[in-house]
Amino acid sequence: LELTLLPGDRGGAAALLLARWGSARVVTEVPRKGAAWREIIRGHERLRACFDGDGRPLPAAAALERWGAVLFDTLFPGEVRRLWDAARGAGGGAPTDVVFTSLLDWVADKPWELAFDPQRKAWLAATESCFVRNVVTATPCEARPRRERPLAIVVAAAQPAGLAALSWEEEAEAVRAGLAPLADRGLARVRVERAVTVEAIHRLVADGPCDVLHFVGHGTWDPKARTGALLLESGAGAAAPLEAAALRTLPAGRGLALVVLNACLTARGSRGDLARGVAPALVQAGLPAVVANQFSVLDAAALAFARELYRSLALGRPVGDAAREARLAVRCDPSCGPLDWAVPVVYARDPGAAL
């Protein structure tokens, strides 16, 4: 099911939501202002503050479900809801791929993973759907040549001096554990590189082989410049920001199948230009799939997500379904927070593609 939000008439009061499933098409108006949007924006700002550690607790479960229902009703109004019910029913109980694309950047930046179906009492991204995002771009998705060698996964870690310590060694082991079914048969290899600099990232993807790039480190978002960046290391070990505009040129055209960014705020985009965020910029450059974080993420949640993501991919599950299984693993892990499963954002041109 493809959901595409179009701006509508310039200066108009409503946007247009185009829903496509099979041969069916639905177009409906979505108000660009009103009480529902004010509630969505307030809830989003509160979640950002909670995840950024301002000391306030997360809203209670019932309040989160009510807020999630507003997200759900905005995403599936009227005829679109009926099309979703048809798509879900046709799946015979299997999860349905849902791809959401918004040409309104401020809408795309909202945490749609937390949409909650009040009738079925179900979180959209963690139960009945493989929910992914896409961005509008004139660059086609990169074609992947047939691979005659083992799947090459590169774990690149950066720990600049003065920043919070990361469990990058544990995460590398989580990636290895998840890929054990393939590695034991000689079908996958994991390479770990630490203290990565800009030059090192460049060489890792340029010299290869590299089918999957898994970055462990820190991300940042500059609200004044409205741009995201990865914090790599300088030659002296200090933080060396690599902004989205520069980063997008490094992996493009290399044949990568997936980039996983375990770094805070890497899924965030700019109001006015979504592609100034790290993950949207990579997708816009042609990468088939990118996983990033829209809020700050705890190490325990990142480890649980990575372990199950790669285990599912190793079993042959497509990217969208593997991400859904990883969300479920985080949601059921007692060491993770109640909403940590919704922190990752999955951008994918085709959620049904497998590695």
Side-chain angles (χ1 to χ4, degrees):
L1 177 66
E2 296 182 4
L3 303 175
T4 305
L5 189 66
L6 307 169
D9 294 336
R10 186 167 184 174
L16 295 177
L17 182 61
L18 168 63
R20 298 184 294 181
W21 176 67
S23 60
R25 303 288 187 272
V26 171
V27 179
T28 188
E29 290 190 342
V30 176
R32 297 175 63 158
K33 298 180 181 179
W37 282 115
R38 289 193 292 272
E39 186 173 352
I40 289 172
I41 292 170
R42 282 196 300 267
H44 186 205
E45 290 175 347
R46 178 173 178 181
L47 286 181
R48 278 184 173 175
C50 292
F51 277 101
D52 288 346
D54 75 341
R56 284 185 292 176
L58 288 170
L64 282 170
E65 290 180 0
R66 287 193 298 270
W67 184 71
V70 178
L71 289 172
F72 185 87
D73 290 341
T74 302
L75 203 58
F76 296 98
E79 293 293 329
V80 178
R81 172 61 187 267
R82 280 186 276 276
L83 191 61
W84 158 244
D85 287 339
R88 182 178 49 77
T96 302
D97 288 340
V98 177
V99 182
F100 177 60
T101 307
S102 175
L103 275 71
L104 292 172
D105 297 320
W106 65 273
V107 173
D109 201 33
K110 300 297 177 283
W112 299 102
E113 289 72 18
L114 283 165
F116 181 79
D117 185 341
Q119 294 182 359
R120 300 182 64 82
K121 304 296 182 184
W123 297 100
L124 181 67
T127 50
E128 297 178 316
S129 82
C130 303
F131 184 84
V132 304
R133 317 271 195 111
N134 200 0
V135 299
V136 176
T137 174
T139 304
C141 183
E142 291 183 13
R144 292 169 51 205
R146 181 176 176 83
R147 189 176 58 249
E148 303 294 344
R149 52 169 175 75
L151 185 71
I153 299 92
V154 175
V155 179
Q159 178 63 75
L163 299 183
L166 299 166
S167 302
W168 66 267
E169 292 172 308
E170 292 180 52
E171 185 148 350
E173 287 306 312
V175 174
R176 284 196 176 98
L179 288 165
L182 291 185
D184 291 345
R185 290 186 287 156
L187 299 177
R189 294 175 182 169
V190 180
R191 173 185 173 188
V192 181
E193 297 288 337
R194 62 182 303 259
V196 293
T197 62
V198 175
E199 293 81 6
I201 284 283
H202 184 187
R203 291 167 184 166
L204 286 172
V205 297
D207 299 345
C210 181
D211 301 303
V212 178
L213 176 63
H214 185 107
F215 176 77
V216 185
H218 292 277
T220 185
W221 174 260
D222 187 334
K224 292 183 179 179
R226 291 186 175 182
T227 187
L230 297 182
L231 297 181
L232 305 182
E233 297 189 29
S234 68
L242 178 59
E243 292 186 354
L247 173 63
R248 61 175 288 167
T249 64
L250 293 183
R254 313 287 190 186
L256 271 72
L258 173 66
V259 173
V260 178
L261 301 171
N262 180 16
C264 299
L265 312 180
T266 43
R268 186 172 295 184
S270 171
R271 182 167 183 171
D273 186 358
L274 186 70
R276 294 176 70 87
V278 175
L282 291 174
V283 179
Q284 194 176 65
L287 268 69
V290 179
V291 179
N293 294 317
Q294 58 187 325
F295 302 119
S296 298
V297 61
L298 297 175
D299 279 350
L303 291 171
F305 187 90
R307 187 181 298 112
E308 185 57 35
L309 175 72
Y310 288 107
R311 190 190 75 86
S312 295
L313 291 172
L315 293 175
R317 289 193 174 102
V319 171
D321 194 30
R324 173 182 170 273
E325 295 295 340
R327 293 189 195 280
L328 290 173
V330 174
R331 190 179 177 196
C332 296
D333 192 323
S335 66
C336 301
L339 291 186
D340 285 347
W341 61 267
V343 172
V345 173
V346 181
Y347 288 92
R349 303 289 188 97
D350 178 9
L355 297 191

